[in-house]
Every structure is written in C-alpha cells, then in structure tokens.
Amino acid sequence: MRLTGKTVMITGAARGLGRATALACAREGADLTLLDICRDMPGVPYPLGTAGQLEHTASLCRSLGSSVLASPADVRDVRTLRAAVDLAVDRYGRIDAVVNNAGIAAPSGKPVHEISEEEWTLMIDVDLTGTWRMINVVGKAMSAARSGSIINIASTAGLVGYRHFAGYVAAKHGVIGLTKAAALDYAPVKVRVNAICPGSVRDDNEMEGRMLAEIAHALDVSDHESAFVEAQPMNALIEPADIAAAVVYLASDESRQVTGSVLTVDGGFSAR
C-alpha cells in the first residue's frame, strides 16, 4: 500500500494505460481523480474513450477501496482542467500526483510533406500542449503544498524517430524537454517531474486498450502484435501493468529524490 493517504489525478483514464494506472494506484491505496475526454475528437480517425468506459474504470477502482472522482475533461481546454483540479483539491485537500497520460496516436502514417497544418496542430495540441496545460494548472497547488509528483507519459518516440510519425515524434520529444525544464522549475519547492517512455504496449482486452492497433493501422501493418514483437530485444510486448508499476514508483515516496528523469520501459528497444 505504497500510496495510502495520497491522491492521484490521471488523464486519459477511461481505458488502456490510463485504466491500468488507475487500478494500480487504487491497489496501492490512493484516492483518485479520473479524467477523460469522453467523446470523439474531429480529426482523430478512431474512437476515443467514452463516459461509460471512464465510469467502468472508476467502478473498478472503487471496488478496490478507493474514493474516486470521475469527470469529462479535454486537455485542450484549460478551463475544464482547472475546474477538475479545484474539485479534487476541495474533495481531498491536495493533489499528490498527476499522471499526464491523455494522448492520441493519429492522424499519422504519412511523410512530413503530406501532413496538413491542421493535423500537425492537433497532434501537438493534445500530446504536448495538453501536458503543459495540466502542469500549468496543477503547479500552483503543488508549489503551495511544497510537495507533489508530476508524471508525464512520453514514449520511445520521444527518444528516437519513427518513420511517418513526425507529429507524434515531435510531440513526445517535446514532452521530455518539458519534463526536464519543469523539473528544474519546481525542484526548489519539492515538486518532482519525471517522464515514462513506454515501448510497444500490448492492447489488453480488460483495459480496452487500442493504441498499438491504431499505430499499426496508420502504418498499414497486419498481424501487428507479431510485427511489433519482432522489433523487441526481449521478444515480448510491454504489458500495461509494466507502465502502471513505473507510475506507482514515481508517485510514491520511494522516488523522493528522483526528478527530471526519463524512465524507459521498452524491453531494450531504445538501447540499440
């Protein structure tokens, strides 16, 4: 129960890594604020998390003993994020950790010269600026409390390039740069900022994940799990629970001297 007495806010919590992270934090004793857009987004060519999926995540966490706030929030809308932070502080008194997990994988799958300005702007707005917005709205409360852990979900795409994914790669590289700069900004007030770089994460049916499938679709790859496994030095995909375990560590007091770090959970992919 490494997170007993702590409160954790998670964006993109309706399914996938967000749900896995919420469940892991609940098992470790945290109370939760779960956010997701709960609707589709124009320009994103696949369904996003729904209100029903978010409520299912919340219900699973409540069954583990957590107090849970769950509400729709778009990381492109600073007002809804600020309202969610205010509600969490009113309910729990503080926010001990924020997991910036919300993100999109597409529009992608084309060379740079075929990316429209609208597609580029959408990717950066969600995956990079959305992370900045959450840090922007939670930073004041954490600074005042002189405590907190901000955990940004980046990607191996923040460390290396991927063909036909320039927008995603640029956004995730930006997340890592933002992590390092914010870590220095908040170090004097004991607020830690770190990033996790997942590799190819399996789409677990119980988590209702679909990110890997959407990346494969953008690349026109069939039998995508086998294709991605071939690129893994450890010959296995990353499990959602692997990323969730890294989040729990960074949210816990075990990592109290860890800030500005990039924790790569990719089975050795980026070591080559």
Side-chain angles (χ1 to χ4, degrees), residues 49-222:
T50 68
Q53 288 173 320
L54 181 62
E55 182 52 39
H56 183 55
T57 300
S59 177
L60 291 171
C61 293
R62 291 186 185 110
S63 72
L64 294 169
S66 290
S67 173
V68 181
L69 287 172
S71 62
D74 186 342
V75 295
R76 298 173 300 168
D77 183 352
V78 71
R79 291 173 297 178
T80 61
L81 297 180
R82 188 171 290 116
V85 167
D86 290 344
L87 184 61
V89 172
D90 287 345
R91 171 77 169 267
Y92 300 122
R94 67 191 186 283
I95 300 172
D96 294 298
V98 168
V99 184
N100 284 311
N101 171 70
I104 56 175
S108 295
K110 59 182 71 175
V112 172
H113 68 275
E114 293 182 7
I115 300 172
S116 70
E117 185 169 350
E118 292 76 16
E119 290 171 329
W120 177 269
T121 298
L122 177 62
M123 181 65 69
I124 300 300
D125 197 17
V126 175
D127 286 12
L128 175 55
T129 311
T131 297
W132 169 81
R133 287 189 188 96
M134 179 55 78
I135 297 173
N136 180 265
V137 300
V138 81
K140 183 177 180 180
M142 286 187 168
S143 295
R146 298 187 66 82
S147 177
S149 176
I150 298 170
I151 304 161
N152 299 325
I153 305 301
S155 168
T156 52
L159 303 170
V160 301
Y162 284 92
R163 187 182 184 193
H164 291 176
F165 272 77
Y168 188 76
V169 168
K172 293 301 186 178
H173 272 70
V175 168
I176 290 176
L178 173 61
T179 298
K180 292 176 180 289
L184 296 177
D185 284 351
Y186 291 117
V189 292
K190 309 302 181 185
V191 175
R192 301 179 294 108
V193 189
N194 295 286
I196 298 174
C197 289
S200 297
V201 179
R202 187 175 66 85
D203 291 335
D204 185 297
N205 288 335
E206 290 187 8
M207 300 301 114
E208 298 187 81
R210 60 183 301 158
M211 184 68 81
L212 196 64
E214 294 304 333
I215 291 172
H217 180 73
L219 294 172
D220 196 24
V221 173
S222 59

